Amino acid sequence: IVSKTGKVLVPFKYEEMNNSIIDGNVCAKLNGKWGIIDINDNIIVPFKYDDIGYRAFTSGYTMVKLGGKCAYINRQGELLDINLDANASFKIGNALNNKLKNRNLSETEILKIQKASFSWFNKGASKNDSQCCFAVGLFYRSGIFVEKSYSESVRYLIKAVELQNDLGAAYKELGYIFNEGGYGIVKDDIKAFGYFKEGAKHNNTDCIYAMTICYLNGIGCSANPQQACVYADKLYKISK
């Protein structure tokens, strides 16, 4: 780790290091094992774990893996016996997803991370967390790790907006799915229009743009250039 002035804060002795510093802590790998240090190279968590949470202690604890088993530790390195709430499941799943930004990962490592993040999002979705439902919906929409299924995606995305009705991004995905059709969903421009309209109410820019196109071309509605201009103007004002 080097400061803005070029001063070396942490020497070049680690094999790997995550690129996020959270509250002065960073995950690092030494002699094949993961631990956590601070920006002055003080050891916060000993280097003894096979893997460790990407964003250390964002919730007061972090996930560690040793010998094929996972556990949670606090800042003192003490093992915790905790029942994670749904939001914590989202944070862990999202933190795992952030690991995919590392372009040096092998296909096996990518699949492993995708499997773990899907598992955490799925746990949160089962506890009715809207963000986890949205994330699981995206997995099924894209076919990442799971078999691509628009019908399953719709199920989770609808659950997400039922739990949090201002989730504009979920309305956008629902609109695109019904606009495209396939993978268990019958193409339905009227439904797509309805979801885009709802997302536009919550200022999702993709939905506002889609409403402009729908009104210009009469997709799921009667063509109406005046209404298209209304949405185009709204998009311009939001994007300024």
Side-chain angles (χ1 to χ4, degrees):
I1 298 175
V2 180
S3 71
K4 292 181 178 179
T5 60
K7 180 182 177 181
V8 176
L9 302 176
V10 175
F12 296 89
K13 65 180 181 181
Y14 297 103
E15 296 146 25
E16 289 185 58
M17 190 176 289
N18 286 335
N19 58 7
S20 293
I21 299 175
I22 308 295
D23 294 332
N25 298 318
V26 63
C27 302
K29 190 176 184 180
L30 184 65
N31 297 324
K33 295 293 183 180
W34 285 92
I36 297 175
I37 59 173
D38 65 17
I39 57 173
N40 295 311
D41 200 26
N42 297 311
I43 296 175
I44 307 301
V45 173
F47 291 88
K48 63 179 184 179
Y49 296 105
D50 300 326
D51 202 358
I52 201 160
Y54 181 77
R55 293 181 177 272
F57 306 124
T58 51
S59 303
Y61 52 82
T62 194
M63 180 177 68
V64 292
K65 185 176 182 180
L66 182 62
K69 295 184 178 180
C70 293
Y72 300 88
I73 59 173
N74 60 19
R75 292 177 187 274
Q76 289 72 47
E78 300 167 333
L79 289 174
L80 301 178
D81 181 16
I82 56 177
N83 183 18
L84 291 176
D85 61 20
N87 188 251
S89 294
F90 174 76
K91 288 180 179 178
I92 294 170
N94 201 43
L96 286 165
N97 265 357
N98 283 330
K99 277 191 171 185
L100 297 173
K101 295 177 181 177
N102 182 352
R103 298 183 178 180
N104 296 319
L105 294 172
S106 67
E107 288 187 13
T108 301
E109 289 172 322
I110 291 171
L111 185 62
K112 179 182 174 183
I113 292 169
Q114 289 172 342
K115 180 180 179 180
S117 62
F118 177 80
S119 176
W120 281 111
F121 288 139
N122 208 28
K123 286 180 182 179
S126 69
K127 296 178 182 178
N128 294 327
D129 180 84
S130 61
Q131 291 177 303
C132 285
C133 289
F134 176 66
V136 173
L138 291 183
F139 267 87
Y140 280 112
R141 169 152 162 66
S142 61
I144 293 175
F145 176 68
V146 294
E147 183 178 351
K148 191 169 185 175
S149 171
Y150 280 2
S151 56
E152 277 298 286
S153 181
V154 165
R155 186 166 73 87
Y156 280 98
L157 292 171
I158 287 177
K159 186 177 180 181
V161 296
E162 286 174 346
L163 292 165
Q164 184 181 342
N165 66 4
D166 63 345
L167 203 57
Y171 290 115
K172 175 195 74 173
E173 298 298 336
L174 284 164
Y176 286 154
I177 286 173
F178 280 100
N179 179 251
E180 296 169 12
Y183 301 99
I185 289 294
V186 177
K187 178 178 170 63
D188 190 327
D189 287 338
I190 294 176
K191 281 188 177 180
F193 176 84
Y195 285 122
F196 287 141
K197 187 175 183 179
E198 196 62 33
K201 288 180 184 177
H202 300 294
N203 293 330
N204 180 275
T205 53
D206 288 314
C207 286
I208 296 170
Y209 175 74
M211 288 298 290
T212 305
I213 300 302
C214 285
Y215 274 123
L216 276 174
N217 298 287
I219 301 172
C221 62
S222 299
N224 189 327
Q226 289 78 19
Q227 278 297 102
C229 287
V230 169
Y231 281 99
D233 185 58
K234 182 176 182 178
L235 181 61
Y236 171 75
K237 289 177 180 177
I238 290 177
S239 303
K240 283 178 64 176

